[in-house]
């Protein structure tokens, strides 16, 4: 029972970290219509930024500044936001399909830099011995795992509440207006380029936060953690849960990651070892099938975007409007 409980804690921690990433993507795609296919790149930047700033000193590597962990996380967020700004300035004028291709290529480039710039990132061996916040105050690793889950849940809740307030504000309504009809939004005096820029940078910063939390959770980072399949998983979570709704984004994380881990467990225990590498493709096929079924039967996701009705809709007409209508009648 203890082993099952610890695995549940591990599972929920990973789900919570991924939920933060998906909420960042939901801001970009679900509310603004920006097709970011380079999610894993910004996640990696946040992780490596945190690791380099807060990691131990190593004479063979650049970095290892040994800053406090949370200072490193803030640094990772800022670096991810700066990278998002650079990418946005270079790509936001592209059409959706070209934006997807450009961001995907950028994420592949980031992963290749992490793999080959060994003097900074540790190369294929990664960066080890990274600090885990408040670990020294715990004597039992299992108790620390529960503590870290609570810590990640707090960050996820803060991101959720902040995004809910943002997307329900006038700024959030402008995001949806630009997503639906950029020409109409521009005709009303809005600046679509600037608003898109803000959304992309903020979403990238949120992904960088998730990267910093991931480093604190694992205590290790390497290029193998940021393969393109992770972008596929994150998009699957958003599609299944429902874009344009942060509750749907969180639900999608729980469902898709649950299916991924459950199918991996079945493959590792039922498939002969010689065929497991090939059978691993079944996981991607399973998630792909779930996406297709979702698009067929629930096109807006399990918890789709809420319909927004103006507060003026259905309001009683004022005496002036009633008089005007009577004259025209």
């Amino acid at each position: 029972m203890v082993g099952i409980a610890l695995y549940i804690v591990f599972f929920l921690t990973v789900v919570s970290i991924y939920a933060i990433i998906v909420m960042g993507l939901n801001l970009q795609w679900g509310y603004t219509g920006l097709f970011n296919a380079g999610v894993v790149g910004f996640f990696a930047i946040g992780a490596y930024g945190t690791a380099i700033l807060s990691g131990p000193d190593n004479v063979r590597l650049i970095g290892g500044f040994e800053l406090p962990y949370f200072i490193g996380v803030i640094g990772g967020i800022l670096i991810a936001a700066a990278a998002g700004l650079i990418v946005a300035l270079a790509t936001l004028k592209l059409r959706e399909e070209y934006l997807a291709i450009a961001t995907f290529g950028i994420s592949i480039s980031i992963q290749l830099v992490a793999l080959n710039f060994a003097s900074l990132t540790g190369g294929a061996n990664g960066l080890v011995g990274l600090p885990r916040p408040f670990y020294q105050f715990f004597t039992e690793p299992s108790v620390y795992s529960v503590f870290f889950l609570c810590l990640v849940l707090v960050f996820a809740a803060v991101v959720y509440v902040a995004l809910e307030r943002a997307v329900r504000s006038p700024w959030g309504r402008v995001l949806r207006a630009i997503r639906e009809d950029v020409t109409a939004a521009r005709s009303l005096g809005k600046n679509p380029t600037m608003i898109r820029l803000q959304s992309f940078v903020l979403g990238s910063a949120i992904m960088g936060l998730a990267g910093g939390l991931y480093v604190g959770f694992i205590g290790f980072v390497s290029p193998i953690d940021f393969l393109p399949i992770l972008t596929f998983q994150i998009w699957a979570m958003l599609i299944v849960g429902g874009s344009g709704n942060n509750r749907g984004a969180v639900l999608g994380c729980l469902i898709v990651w649950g299916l991924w881990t459950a199918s991996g467990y079945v493959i590792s225990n039922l498939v002969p070892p010689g065929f497991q590498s090939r059978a691993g493709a079944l996981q991607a096929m399973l998630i792909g099938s779930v996406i297709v079924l979702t698009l067929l039967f629930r096109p807006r996701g399990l918890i789709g975007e809420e319909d927004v009705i103006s507060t003026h809709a259905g309001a009683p007409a004022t005496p002036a409007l009633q008089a005007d209508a009577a004259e025209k009648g």
Side-chain angles (χ1 to χ4, degrees):
M1 291 297 294
V2 175
I4 295 175
L6 288 177
Y7 181 77
I8 292 174
V9 170
F10 173 84
F11 174 82
L12 291 177
T13 304
V14 175
V15 167
S16 301
I17 292 173
Y18 285 173
I20 294 174
I21 305 176
V22 178
M23 286 189 284
L25 177 62
N26 192 33
L27 176 64
Q28 295 174 340
W29 168 251
Y31 290 103
T32 320
L34 299 174
F35 198 120
N36 180 7
V39 174
V40 71
F42 300 102
F43 180 51
I45 289 174
Y48 274 107
T50 302
I52 291 169
L53 292 173
S54 62
D57 185 26
N58 190 324
V59 294
R60 296 177 299 174
L61 298 175
I62 303 171
F65 296 104
E66 299 182 318
L67 296 175
Y69 169 75
F70 289 107
I71 299 298
V73 171
I74 294 173
I77 293 172
L78 294 177
I79 296 171
L85 177 62
I86 294 171
V87 172
L89 291 174
T91 62
L92 284 188
K93 292 184 179 180
L94 300 175
R95 291 206 310 250
E96 287 184 1
E97 58 271 26
Y98 297 113
L99 175 62
I101 294 171
T103 52
F104 180 75
I106 289 169
S107 72
I108 294 295
S109 301
I110 292 170
Q111 201 261 344
L112 290 176
V113 169
L115 182 63
N116 294 285
F117 196 176
S119 61
L120 179 66
T121 65
N125 295 322
L127 299 175
V128 299
L130 302 177
R132 305 183 68 187
F134 307 113
Y135 187 78
Q136 67 273 19
F137 299 111
F138 295 85
T139 56
E140 292 291 334
S142 58
V143 178
Y144 179 77
S145 297
V146 175
F147 162 77
F148 197 86
L149 169 61
C150 296
L151 180 66
V152 174
L153 287 174
V154 168
F155 275 100
V158 170
V159 171
Y160 177 86
V161 172
L163 286 178
E164 282 294 295
R165 292 179 64 88
V167 299
R168 295 178 188 277
S169 69
W171 181 75
R173 291 192 287 272
V174 174
L175 292 183
R176 288 189 288 269
I178 291 172
R179 180 195 64 190
E180 297 298 330
D181 192 331
V182 65
T183 303
R186 186 180 289 112
S187 69
L188 294 174
K190 306 303 179 182
N191 187 340
T193 302
M194 181 58 65
I195 298 297
R196 283 174 165 172
L197 185 70
Q198 294 169 359
S199 175
F200 196 90
V201 171
L202 181 56
S204 301
I206 293 172
M207 295 170 189
L209 167 63
L213 294 174
Y214 179 80
V215 164
F217 175 51
I218 301 297
F220 168 79
V221 63
S222 75
I224 198 68
D225 298 320
F226 309 108
L227 297 176
I229 189 66
L230 181 57
T231 294
F232 166 73
Q233 292 169 336
I234 297 300
W235 268 99
M237 293 170 184
L238 183 59
I239 293 170
V240 172
S243 62
N245 191 319
N246 287 315
R247 290 185 294 115
V250 175
L251 177 63
C253 288
L254 188 62
I255 293 174
V256 172
W257 190 244
L259 289 173
W260 187 272
T261 54
S263 59
Y265 176 81
V266 170
I267 290 171
S268 62
N269 285 274
L270 298 182
V271 177
F275 295 93
Q276 286 187 4
S277 60
R278 298 179 183 178
L282 294 174
Q283 289 180 284
M285 294 173 62
L286 172 63
I287 301 304
S289 300
V290 171
I291 293 174
V292 172
L293 291 174
T294 301
L295 293 175
L296 287 175
F297 297 104
R298 299 279 297 186
R300 299 175 66 181
L302 296 178
I303 306 179
E305 182 176 3
E306 298 176 355
D307 293 325
V308 179
I309 301 176
S310 172
T311 55
H312 300 290
T318 63
L321 290 176
Q322 291 174 351
D324 184 61
E327 290 178 4
K328 293 180 179 178

